[in-house]
Amino acid sequence: MENVLRPLIVVGGSLVLTLLVGWIADLLLKRADQRHQGVPLWGLLRRCRLPLQMVMCTALLRGSYDQAEIAVDHSAAIGQILTLVLIGSTAWLVVRIATAIVDSSYSRYANAHRDPARVRRVRTQVTLIQRVVSAIVGVVAVAAMLLTFPAMRAAGASLLASAGILGIVAGVAAQSTLSNMFAGLQIAFGDMVRIGDTVVVDGEWGTVDEITLTFLTVRTWDERRITMPVSYFTSQPFENWSRGGVQMTGTVFFHVDHSAPVEEMRDKLRDILRECPAWDGRDYGLAVTDTTPNTIEVRALATAKDADDIWTVRVTVREQMIRWLTAHHPYALPRVNTADAILPPNAHPNGNDGRPPRTTRGRAVEPPRTGRG
């Protein structure tokens, strides 16, 4: 009877105690979250309930496993497995707690500051800090797991002795990876580009969607994702439309006939922008910027608060201006001129300019005749 009750008491007691402590911790965090609704830390810490229960259950089983007297012949292997699980669950709990603290700090900062550029900068830094912390905790956990094996402990001295040589070899082999990692830290804390910035890279316009220690993802306007190494942004020029403010000025070019009513087009541009919600009202204008033998180039410009709105303003102006010209001033649209050429002054109606006709071997050469006869 004792052989049956002992394992049940040890295992069952560990499970009951784990569930009880998890329930009490969740209840306390829930009450703290209700009392401090402006502080999101307590609500984020509630996500740590599962790893906390796993750490407690594994620790209790590891400490009381010898008293359970289960599978005595394999006690060493089971103890080793419980130790590995305990290390892994502890690392999981540490990562969850660190993530909750960092996310809570970012949320409070974002609510306290209204500057979008500063908020995006902090968001980029917070994201990279989370990844660095997770990577460090993961490496430490794996190293701790390996050191639990006697063979690894014995090889530790030789590994430390050759660490210098291995470091040089790894540095040469991972030169590109290391450069990307340092470039990622430079981007995060150098404020070169931030999550949410509007950039133009290799002729592609998009928004920075994700920044890691090794790569950066740009989401284009047509929902494509362009993934590039972060070292590109520290070694190549690129356009950052969100740097120093997101307000923009857009242009629309029209090629119209020389007789186009420029003043009326200017008034129509004003009317179009007044009815366009995307226009921010800062500035607008219309001017003739170039001319060709057949057309003139008219440039319309308008302002908007960001890149998305300037796109809406440009397409609205282009569409409505062309529609208005077609309906009210069709003569102003570009066309091919097929009219007779205007003769210069003192020109002869037959094409001769009044000079004596040319001669060939003493004979006059008359202009060619047209028509019959």
Side-chain angles (χ1 to χ4, degrees):
M1 189 69 179
E2 183 180 357
N3 296 332
V4 177
L5 291 178
R6 186 187 297 270
L8 290 177
I9 293 174
V10 172
V11 177
S14 300
L15 293 176
V16 171
L17 185 59
T18 298
L19 294 176
L20 180 61
V21 171
W23 177 76
I24 293 175
D26 185 70
L27 182 61
L28 294 176
L29 291 174
K30 185 178 180 180
R31 290 183 177 179
D33 188 28
Q34 292 176 351
R35 293 178 181 178
H36 306 85
Q37 296 182 358
V39 181
L41 176 61
W42 309 110
L44 294 173
L45 285 177
R46 294 184 64 188
R47 302 177 184 177
C48 304
R49 178 181 179 181
L50 181 59
L52 175 63
Q53 290 178 332
M54 192 170 182
V55 169
M56 287 198 58
C57 183
T58 308
L60 291 174
L61 290 177
R62 183 67 181 87
S64 61
Y65 175 74
D66 294 336
Q67 285 73 26
E69 297 182 357
I70 303 174
V72 180
D73 297 337
H74 302 86
S75 59
I78 295 176
Q80 181 71 21
I81 293 174
L82 291 175
T83 302
L84 296 177
V85 174
L86 178 60
I87 295 174
S89 57
T90 302
W92 185 18
L93 178 61
V94 171
V95 170
R96 280 291 183 90
I97 293 176
T99 302
I101 295 174
V102 172
D103 288 345
S104 174
S105 302
Y106 168 72
S107 299
R108 296 177 63 182
Y109 184 88
N111 293 330
H113 296 79
R114 300 300 179 185
D115 187 1
R118 296 180 62 183
V119 172
R120 289 199 301 269
R121 177 183 179 182
V122 173
R123 180 185 175 187
T124 303
Q125 296 175 353
V126 163
T127 301
L128 290 179
I129 289 174
Q130 289 180 353
R131 296 181 184 275
V132 170
V133 171
S134 301
I136 293 175
V137 173
V139 170
V140 173
V142 172
M145 290 180 181
L146 293 177
L147 291 177
T148 59
F149 295 94
M152 291 296 177
R153 289 197 300 266
S158 60
L159 289 175
L160 291 176
S162 60
I165 300 175
L166 290 176
I168 296 174
V169 174
V172 174
Q175 182 177 3
S176 176
T177 302
L178 292 176
S179 64
N180 281 328
M181 292 181 62
F182 285 112
L185 295 175
Q186 183 178 355
I187 286 177
F189 297 97
D191 199 23
M192 298 175 59
V193 61
R194 300 152 298 194
I195 296 177
D197 282 2
T198 302
V199 296
V200 178
V201 181
D202 282 345
E204 295 285 350
W205 175 87
T207 305
V208 178
D209 192 45
E210 183 182 8
I211 299 178
T212 68
L213 288 176
T214 56
F215 66 89
L216 185 147
T217 303
V218 177
R219 184 181 73 252
T220 61
W221 64 273
D222 55 355
E223 301 298 330
R224 291 181 293 117
R225 300 297 192 276
I226 301 177
T227 302
M228 308 183 68
V230 292
S231 59
Y232 175 90
F233 292 86
T234 59
S235 60
Q236 300 291 333
F238 65 95
E239 297 182 26
N240 189 343
W241 291 2
S242 301
R243 184 77 176 180
V246 296
Q247 295 177 342
M248 298 192 66
T249 299
T251 58
V252 181
F253 290 93
F254 300 97
H255 293 275
V256 295
D257 191 75
H258 290 83
S259 59
V262 177
E263 289 296 333
E264 295 184 25
M265 291 179 64
R266 190 173 291 114
D267 296 337
K268 182 60 179 179
L269 174 64
R270 182 192 59 221
D271 297 339
I272 293 174
L273 293 177
R274 286 178 177 176
E275 298 177 358
C276 181
W279 182 51
D280 61 359
R282 288 189 296 120
D283 192 14
Y284 77 97
L286 187 141
V288 178
T289 56
D290 197 4
T291 180
T292 66
N294 297 322
T295 61
I296 59 174
E297 183 184 74
V298 178
R299 185 197 67 184
L301 61 86
T303 58
K305 63 181 180 63
D306 54 27
D308 292 334
D309 283 352
I310 201 62
W311 170 263
T312 304
V313 170
R314 292 175 63 188
V315 297
T316 301
V317 169
R318 185 181 296 111
E319 177 183 349
Q320 296 192 17
M321 185 66 75
I322 293 296
R323 185 186 305 168
W324 176 76
L325 288 174
T326 304
H328 298 86
H329 303 279
Y331 62 88
L333 298 176
R335 61 182 183 269
V336 179
N337 193 350
T338 59
D340 295 335
I342 300 177
L343 298 176
N346 301 326
H348 195 273
N350 293 329
N352 198 346
D353 56 1
R355 292 179 296 179
R358 293 175 297 163
T359 60
T360 303
R361 295 183 181 179
R363 295 180 300 171
V365 179
E366 296 293 337
R369 297 181 180 179
T370 59
R372 296 182 179 180

